[in-house]
Amino acid sequence: MTNKDLANLIFPNITKTIEDYRKIYPARNLSEGAKVTRFAPSPTGFVHLGGLYQAIIDMLLAKSSNGIFYLRNEDTDKVRELDGALKLILDTLKYYQIMPNEYQDKDKVIGDYGPYTQSERKEIYHAFIKYFIEIGRAYPCFCSKEKLEKLRENQNRDKVRTGYYGKYATCKNMSIEEAADRIKNGEEYIIRFRSLGDNDKRFKFNDLVKGEIEFPENDLDIVIMKADGLPTYHFAHLVDDYLMGTTHVVRGEEWLSSVPVHIELFKTLGVKPPKYIHTPLIMKKDGDIVRKISKRKDPEASMSYYKEHGYPIEAVIESLMTIINSNYEEWHTANPDKSYLDFQYSPKKMSSSGALYDLDKLSNISKNIISRMTKEELCEKSYEWAESYSSELKRLIEQDKNYYMNILNIEREQKKPRKDIAKYDEIIDNIWYMYDELFENKEKAYEYQTITDKEEIKKILVTYMDKYFELTDKDVWFNNMKALCDELGYASNMKDYKQNPENYKGSVADVSTVLRVALTTKCMTPDLYEIMKLLGKERIEKRYHNIKNIS
Ligand code: GLU
């Protein structure tokens, strides 16, 4: 009996060879230097911040070289798979406008190298596993879970490296006849790779981010096909990245330790491995320590966090760009009108130790971006967000879109626009006092500052309403404010006040704070005159009267 017979026994229905598949998926016809990249998440129902960060790099590499960026659904771990997970991945990529050139959405396959869902590629993997068995580089293993567990315990006890290798790889030397008999008897088995590596020998590997790294050769007979017939990640990665013509693998650095296995697998197949970009872990500051962002502990590890809170997509991308390349911020400042897609990504300019992600920084980026939007743009984007996440904001916008836009427009169309909103879920908190029904129903804390005496407050409000109420022109209004101050004994000129504070009860700043707080409850708001203009005389008088009536 030969290896070929064993291969036929295991895969009697696999008739296509690896050459056949090479013909079905010929080498890509792309221009010189074009990069083929892929985002290859497992459908776990969670899109990690680190995943989007890798997808951005994939897209930049492909776009800047006229290459191809494709999405591969790595669903070989059926236990971890979740319904709707692929849809979430696709929706997230669409939302951030990082759409791959090739992908699969249910039965719809876009691209010539599909299916792009690994569980639908079983026959292809089987042809490659069959070939590995034929050339003697893969074999069935009948070791039970218990036996492997025992092996690990013994290796730990003897303080030797754990794993299925060398003398511990007991099924490696089983005769083909015995293996065939056991299979015919219906025994359960998996398929292992037969490594020819020597762990005492070292080889050099060039990671595009981390530079040259020395590794010991692989000598592990890793599992390449599980009992359910599906390949493991290692083997699927070999077959797919080979057939799909991947030139650059961008993946998390947790895969770095698998490099020796992958290099040996590519060598066994007799093809050149792709180039690797192992991206550093995304870290966060937690008190005094810097640690890895955790899916379990940190809500911001999930891409859904940013959508739910309503950060503009450009802000999220830009915040990730700042950790993707150290020179991005400088480039962006020099080219404020260019899109991040024009940026030349370089793996060398990636931190090799860890990328520190900072929500405060995201917030600043976001405030800048929102401050530069036109009122129409901000209205449209916040409305889109509100449709899914805030029925209250949706209602306010629908009730009177122009009024909403005018509120957003206060201190917007100017050289240094106001930067007080970082995400759409903060909008109501910033503008609620502009809506009577919110104003009336709210538990209010009036933030009076220097003038807190109720009688004095009432006097200012009454005098303002009786004599100085004027909202037709800002200069007129301002002169009225000064006259109000003069009448009540407050300095209308700050300079005079600073020189002789003892001559006055306070200054124009104190008086306007009273008018502002009585109207909005807050001592910090956008321009008071603009707020007054939008609210209009009737509503202002009503609010001031209410204050006046509080004993
Ligand atoms: N499916 C693997 C993961 O989710 C992908 C690793 C890779 O990109 O090769 O980690």
Side-chain angles (χ1 to χ4, degrees), residues 38 40-42 74 233 250-251 255:
R38 84 293 192 282
S42 303
E74 302 217 323
Y233 162 71
V250 178
R251 64 181 181 189
W255 293 109

Side-chain angles (χ1 to χ4, degrees), residues 187-432:
E187 255 189 72
E188 197 171 89
Y189 62 94
I190 52 167
I191 305 283
R192 286 186 183 274
F193 174 54
R194 185 188 300 275
S195 168
L196 299 182
D198 177 351
N199 194 246
D200 291 331
K201 283 197 189 143
R202 299 178 80 79
F203 71 98
K204 288 193 172 110
F205 166 79
N206 189 31
D207 180 79
L208 296 191
V209 174
K210 298 183 188 291
E212 195 174 88
I213 308 175
E214 250 195 36
F215 281 107
E217 279 182 13
N218 171 60
D219 65 350
L220 294 173
D221 283 1
I222 57 147
V223 179
I224 58 175
M225 189 180 94
K226 299 174 287 182
D228 62 5
L230 282 169
T232 52
Y233 162 71
H234 305 294
F235 200 78
H237 151 59
L238 165 77
V239 175
D240 292 345
D241 282 324
Y242 164 57
L243 287 181
M244 295 177 180
T246 310
T247 62
H248 289 69
V249 168
V250 178
R251 64 181 181 189
E253 71 175 17
E254 64 274 19
W255 293 109
L256 199 59
S257 57
S258 302
V259 160
V261 174
H262 296 167
I263 297 296
E264 198 187 359
L265 286 173
F266 277 99
K267 208 166 138 193
T268 308
L269 188 60
V271 298
K272 224 171 102 192
K275 292 199 164 65
Y276 287 94
I277 292 178
H278 285 99
T279 58
L281 295 173
I282 301 193
M283 317 290 281
K284 77 174 265 178
K285 240 181 137 175
D286 186 358
D288 287 341
I289 59 160
V290 172
R291 61 164 176 82
K292 186 180 149 190
I293 279 202
S294 136
K295 182 170 164 178
R296 205 167 37 83
K297 284 196 233 157
D298 307 311
E300 73 268 29
S302 164
M303 286 322 296
S304 59
Y305 172 86
Y306 304 91
K307 194 172 175 201
E308 279 160 25
H309 286 281
Y311 286 98
I313 60 171
E314 307 88 307
V316 177
I317 299 232
E318 210 175 290
S319 72
L320 284 170
M321 287 304 294
T322 64
I323 59 166
I324 283 177
N325 262 185
S326 53
N327 58 331
Y328 177 76
E329 272 178 283
E330 200 185 313
W331 176 87
H332 185 61
T333 313
N335 301 281
D337 299 326
K338 283 200 175 157
S339 148
Y340 80 101
L341 296 171
D342 297 321
F343 177 73
Q344 275 294 326
Y345 161 77
S346 157
K348 283 202 184 65
K349 296 211 171 80
M350 220 166 172
S351 145
S352 64
S353 49
L356 190 63
Y357 192 69
D358 180 353
L359 281 182
D360 289 339
K361 186 159 190 180
L362 167 64
S363 195
N364 282 336
I365 293 174
S366 200
K367 280 180 182 166
N368 261 321
I369 288 178
I370 291 185
S371 78
R372 287 198 308 265
M373 289 179 185
T374 61
K375 63 179 182 196
E376 288 83 5
E377 215 181 325
L378 179 52
C379 173
E380 190 186 317
K381 292 193 171 163
S382 56
Y383 182 72
E384 244 171 60
W385 171 83
E387 279 190 304
S388 307
Y389 300 104
S390 168
S391 51
E392 185 161 50
L393 185 63
K394 180 172 182 273
R395 183 180 60 79
L396 294 179
I397 300 174
E398 282 170 355
Q399 178 183 301
D400 189 343
K401 201 165 145 183
N402 269 328
Y403 181 64
Y404 176 70
M405 283 199 285
N406 288 336
I407 299 170
L408 298 178
N409 210 36
I410 301 177
E411 293 184 44
R412 177 162 301 273
E413 289 163 350
Q414 52 192 39
K415 211 162 168 209
K416 282 201 167 161
R418 194 176 175 85
K419 296 175 183 172
D420 48 3
I421 301 168
K423 44 195 173 53
Y424 307 134
D425 72 354
E426 291 173 359
I427 293 181
I428 289 194
D429 267 358
N430 274 275
I431 65 169
W432 59 275

Side-chain angles (χ1 to χ4, degrees), residues 28 30-31 33-37 58-70 101-102 247:
R28 291 176 183 269
L30 293 170
S31 56
K35 297 184 173 89
V36 179
T37 58
D58 283 320
M59 185 176 69
L60 290 176
L61 284 172
K63 256 208 156 75
S64 64
S65 64
N66 290 323
I68 297 285
F69 161 44
Y70 69 89
N101 308 97
E102 297 173 8
T247 62

